[in-house]
Amino acid sequence: MTDVGSARFLYFYLKSLRKEGGGTKKIVLLYVTKTMYAMNANEQTCQQIERALRKVASKFQMETENPPLTDFYLQVKQESGELLVFNDDEEELTRCVVEEWIGNTSENFYEEVQPVLRGCLERLRDLMSGLHVLRPYSYVLMNEEKNIVADLFLVDDDVIVIDGELMLGLEEDLEKFWEELSAK
């Protein structure tokens, strides 16, 4: 299939899913942000985050009779560069310092770290979605005041969603994409 043919198929397939209300249960929805790694996260940053996420995952690998019901809250501290992960009971599961984030004074800091965190969760998708935790569960970004900033990753039995705003503006994006593709 040519690139144009692939793009055409994808366009009409996604458009039909939207008309059908989301399609079948086994669809995996992934949102790949246009600004992925807008912060230009270096490999060391990604490794530090992924190591912390693996530590969390290691605590929820053993099957038990009563798996916990919890979500995972990622708290990023702008001044210190700390990334902390908590459960629903506000128990700290792990922490690390992301050196690249230390002393970051950007007003858009939390918007800038979202694609980095989503990218790390996406790379570890099989591990992060395979935890022995009651479903659905999610990974949520919160700020230093423990206010929720964004939903990063949702795991359910039939659907995995990275970024809950996937469907917002999708039709307009697809129309624009198709127009640009048709013009070539």
Side-chain angles (χ1 to χ4, degrees):
M1 192 180 284
T2 67
D3 288 341
V4 173
S6 298
R8 176 180 272 175
F9 171 78
L10 179 63
Y11 171 77
F12 287 112
Y13 178 72
L14 290 173
K15 195 167 186 175
S16 71
L17 287 178
R18 179 138 173 130
K19 287 180 182 175
E20 295 172 10
T24 64
K25 287 184 172 184
K26 295 293 179 185
I27 293 174
V28 177
L29 297 174
L30 300 176
Y31 178 78
V32 181
T33 178
K34 294 176 187 173
T35 57
M36 186 65 122
Y37 297 102
M39 186 177 258
N40 295 323
N42 65 37
E43 190 60 31
Q44 181 181 2
T45 296
C46 296
Q47 288 174 353
Q48 290 170 325
I49 295 167
E50 289 174 11
R51 189 175 355 195
L53 293 171
R54 282 188 189 94
K55 284 181 184 177
V56 170
S58 71
K59 296 178 181 186
F60 295 93
Q61 290 300 313
M62 187 167 27
E63 291 194 25
T64 59
E65 196 170 305
N66 297 315
L69 173 62
T70 191
D71 288 318
F72 300 96
Y73 298 89
L74 287 71
Q75 182 183 41
V76 179
K77 295 187 176 184
Q78 188 171 2
E79 190 172 305
S80 66
E82 284 182 294
L83 168 65
L84 298 93
V85 182
F86 299 95
N87 64 12
D88 278 341
D89 297 324
E90 296 187 18
E91 295 172 330
E92 184 178 313
L93 301 173
T94 191
R95 74 171 49 212
C96 72
V97 175
V98 179
E99 293 174 19
E100 188 176 351
W101 295 347
I102 296 173
N104 186 313
T105 58
S106 172
E107 289 182 20
N108 300 319
F109 177 73
Y110 290 103
E111 289 79 21
E112 293 169 357
V113 299
Q114 287 176 40
V116 176
L117 294 170
R118 282 189 185 107
C120 292
L121 286 163
E122 168 58 24
R123 280 199 299 277
L124 299 174
R125 177 179 29 167
D126 291 339
L127 181 64
M128 296 290 99
S129 61
L131 303 184
H132 193 64
V133 175
L134 285 177
R135 293 177 182 223
Y137 61 93
S138 61
Y139 296 84
V140 178
L141 175 63
M142 57 185 194
N143 61 19
E144 292 184 48
E145 292 81 33
K146 295 194 176 187
N147 296 321
I148 294 177
V149 175
D151 292 317
L152 298 171
F153 190 84
L154 169 71
V155 179
D156 198 351
D157 285 332
D158 298 321
V159 178
I160 298 173
V161 178
I162 298 177
D163 187 5
E165 298 179 8
L166 170 67
M167 300 307 270
L168 295 178
L170 179 63
E171 190 167 338
E172 293 82 17
D173 287 346
L174 289 173
E175 289 291 336
K176 182 179 177 186
F177 172 75
W178 181 246
E179 289 173 13
E180 289 174 3
L181 193 61
S182 297
K184 292 183 179 182

